[in-house]
């Protein structure tokens, strides 16, 4: 008489919504890493001078590249939002005897996201 | 008028007869004030006395009656039939654990893991006060630092909700790691160095991928997922302190 060990199906992550969303969040990392690789490629082309950079711009104008960029943007946004929402769970900040509201911590990361994005946009467009 | 009923599909495994588990269907009266455990007790008393399951307090304190209800880990004493009625309700043993019989799981693995994190207050050699000197006092703030993590009733819903543990039970798991935090954050405790080799190991907090379902299913709002992420931050800080400032190494 031995205890019965239940097999785990390969589709366990499809059986409940929270697990599916978790797997989607994990898959978004592939797009984050992929875009980092793409930025390295851009730097490499830039290093080749104006002509090399023109090749990269041509590659980026192709419909396939535009489609991949839109997809990567959506996945990276999902990645960012899910991790930002988890931040208050990890950071327990105490002010005196009270715990700082998780909402304030989340608001803090979103605010710094906006400030940094505006700063980068300013660098690009004002320069 | 015909009495309203609800269907329960219950996981059955009789090791002396069955090589594989089966599902038995039972029809029980539907009462708005009945929880799933009431329906199980009705089956055991009125329909089939061979059904085996654990329960004790009926009030969400003992942590014995955890089962999978339609695929989600629940305390069956705190889950009402009306939440599912009129759909059938499937009751299975907690996921991730071997099944002894019917809805009874083997929890030896958890017991060993619980012990491995030294879940009690540890004082350094020679630093324990004699009983005559009275208790170790704490301020309300010192109590609040760990109180949430001390509410755990070892019901194992968090283990059944954790896909990491279910896939590979080498993971120390949510409740044991939350209890390690509970003692680490206690101002009376000095046992962090005893727990850290288990907590900071690969099978400890680093196996966690932050699915977060352990905290979602916890009936006591312990938030093991939060406890584990905080332990990751502590582990990381200690690693960098030890590496960058080896002369300041803690005893």
């Amino acid at each position: 008489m031995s205890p019965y060990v239940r097999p785990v199906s390969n589709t366990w992550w499809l059986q409940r919504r929270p697990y599916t969303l978790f797997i989607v969040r994990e898959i978004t990392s592939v797009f984050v890493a992929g875009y980092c690789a793409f930025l390295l490629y851009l730097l490499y082309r830039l290093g080749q001078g104006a002509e090399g950079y023109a090749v990269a711009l041509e590659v980026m104008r192709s419909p396939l590249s535009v489609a991949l960029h839109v997809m990567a943007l959506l996945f990276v946004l999902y990645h960012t939002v899910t991790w930002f929402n988890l931040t208050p769970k990890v950071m327990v900040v105490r002010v005196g005897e009270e715990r700082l509201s998780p909402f304030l911590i989340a608001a803090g990361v979103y605010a710094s996201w906006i400030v940094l994005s505006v700063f980068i946009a300013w660098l690009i467009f004002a320069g | 008028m015909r009495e309203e009923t609800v269907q329960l599909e219950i996981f059955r495994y009789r090791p002396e007869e069955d090589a594989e588990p089966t599902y038995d269907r039972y029809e029980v009266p539907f009462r708005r004030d009945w929880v799933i455990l009431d329906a199980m007790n009705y089956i055991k008393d009125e329909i089939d006395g061979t059904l085996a399951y654990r329960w004790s307090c009926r009030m969400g304190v003992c942590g014995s009656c955890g089962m999978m209800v339609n695929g989600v880990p629940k305390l069956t004493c705190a889950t009402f039939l009306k939440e599912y009625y009129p759909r059938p309700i499937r009751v299975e043993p907690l996921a991730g654990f071997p099944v002894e019989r019917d809805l009874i799981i083997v929890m030896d693995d958890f017991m060993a893991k619980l012990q491995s994190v030294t879940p009690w207050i540890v004082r350094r050699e020679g630093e324990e006060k004699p009983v005559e000197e009275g208790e170790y006092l704490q301020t309300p703030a010192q109590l609040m630092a760990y109180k949430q993590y001390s509410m755990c009733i070892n019901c194992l819903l968090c283990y059944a909700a954790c896909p990491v543990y279910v896939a590979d039970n080498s993971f120390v798991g949510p409740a044991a790691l939350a209890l390690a935090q509970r003692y680490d954050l206690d101002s009376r405790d000095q046992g962090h160095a005893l727990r850290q080799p288990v907590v900071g190991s690969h099978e400890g907090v680093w196996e966690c991928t932050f699915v977060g379902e352990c905290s979602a299913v916890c009936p006591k709002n312990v938030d093991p997922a939060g406890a584990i992420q905080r332990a990751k931050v502590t582990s990381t800080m200690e690693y960098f302190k030890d590496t960058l400032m080896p002369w300041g190494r803690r005893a």
Side-chain angles (χ1 to χ4, degrees):
Chain A
M1 289 200 293
S2 55
Y4 181 76
V5 177
R6 288 162 285 173
V8 181
S9 108
N10 286 334
T11 56
W12 62 268
W13 55 280
L14 288 172
Q15 284 155 10
R16 281 191 62 209
R17 201 177 136 80
Y19 296 150
T20 314
L21 292 177
F22 156 71
I23 289 291
V24 172
R25 188 190 82 198
E26 295 294 280
I27 289 174
T28 56
S29 315
V30 175
F31 288 86
V32 174
Y35 207 78
C36 288
F38 175 74
L39 287 177
L40 285 177
Y41 163 77
L42 265 189
L43 267 183
Y44 164 75
R45 282 297 189 194
L46 197 60
Q48 290 176 330
E51 267 173 45
Y53 191 60
V55 175
L57 286 181
E58 204 50 48
V59 170
M60 279 165 75
R61 278 199 195 98
S62 75
L64 177 69
S65 161
V66 172
L68 279 175
H69 269 81
V70 170
M71 230 166 91
L73 176 67
L74 290 177
F75 276 103
V76 171
L77 277 177
Y78 184 83
H79 185 91
T80 310
V81 169
T82 46
W83 283 112
F84 275 11
N85 291 347
L86 290 175
T87 311
K89 287 185 192 284
V90 181
M91 288 181 64
V92 176
V93 183
R94 280 181 199 283
V95 180
E97 301 211 340
E98 295 297 316
R99 183 176 167 173
L100 194 64
S101 143
F103 176 78
L104 274 181
I105 296 176
V109 282
Y110 278 103
S112 28
W113 187 21
I114 293 169
V115 167
L116 278 174
S117 301
V118 168
F119 176 67
I120 290 170
W122 175 79
L123 272 186
I124 293 171
F125 294 109
Chain B
M1 202 183 83
R2 217 176 135 262
E3 192 182 31
E4 287 174 310
T5 60
V6 61
Q7 293 259 345
L8 262 71
E9 283 174 8
I10 300 186
F11 181 103
R12 301 300 306 267
Y13 174 63
R14 286 146 291 214
E16 64 281 3
E17 301 164 29
D18 307 339
E20 292 276 317
T22 53
Y23 287 86
D24 282 353
R25 273 175 168 270
Y26 301 95
E27 197 156 331
V28 301
F30 171 67
R31 310 249 164 92
R32 294 196 67 79
D33 58 347
W34 268 14
V35 290
I36 292 182
L37 184 61
D38 292 320
M40 309 271 297
N41 287 339
Y42 177 88
I43 295 170
K44 178 115 177 154
D45 292 343
E46 308 289 337
I47 309 175
D48 184 349
T50 67
L51 182 64
Y53 53 98
R54 288 193 180 108
W55 66 286
S56 179
C57 78
R58 302 176 292 104
M59 48 198 276
V61 174
C62 77
S64 316
C65 70
M67 298 170 206
M68 304 301 284
V69 178
N70 285 358
V72 183
K74 297 268 187 192
L75 286 185
T76 51
C77 70
T79 309
F80 284 85
L81 294 179
K82 67 181 176 201
E83 293 169 34
Y84 302 89
Y85 184 78
R87 287 166 293 142
I89 302 168
R90 177 171 274 222
V91 184
E92 295 164 299
L94 285 179
F97 294 94
V99 181
E100 191 91 61
R101 169 184 295 272
D102 297 345
L103 298 155
I104 296 178
I105 53 159
V106 182
M107 53 173 87
D108 300 4
D109 182 56
F110 169 70
M111 291 304 180
K113 281 170 176 157
L114 184 59
Q115 220 168 6
S116 76
V117 300
T118 324
W120 55 83
I121 288 175
V122 175
R123 297 293 296 179
R124 269 187 229 108
E125 193 80 17
E127 292 192 31
E128 178 136 14
K129 283 202 294 189
V131 177
E132 307 80 66
E133 285 183 28
E135 56 278 79
Y136 295 91
L137 297 179
Q138 280 187 319
T139 65
Q142 286 170 329
L143 173 67
M144 287 315 288
Y146 68 85
K147 189 173 178 222
Q148 179 182 25
Y149 303 136
S150 75
M151 304 307 280
C152 175
I153 55 173
N154 298 344
C155 66
L156 305 185
L157 300 197
C158 54
Y159 281 75
C162 172
V164 177
Y165 181 77
V166 172
D168 170 12
N169 57 26
S170 65
F171 179 33
V172 175
L177 291 169
L179 276 168
Q181 276 286 293
R182 177 251 171 274
Y183 288 96
D184 272 2
L185 296 174
D186 191 317
S187 59
R188 300 163 295 181
D189 180 81
Q190 300 175 323
H192 174 71
L194 281 177
R195 293 178 200 108
Q196 191 53 23
V198 180
V199 172
S201 68
H202 181 74
E203 290 74 25
V205 291
W206 299 110
E207 192 108 348
C208 167
T209 53
F210 207 172
V211 182
E213 273 304 283
C214 51
S215 296
V217 301
C218 178
K220 293 287 165 188
N221 296 317
V222 170
D223 191 15
I228 293 172
Q229 310 323 308
R230 290 178 69 188
K232 284 181 185 172
V233 175
T234 311
S235 278
T236 310
M237 302 281 271
E238 282 175 11
Y239 170 81
F240 279 111
K241 268 187 202 153
D242 283 355
T243 311
L244 300 174
M245 299 184 284
W247 57 88
R249 188 159 286 162
R250 287 155 293 114

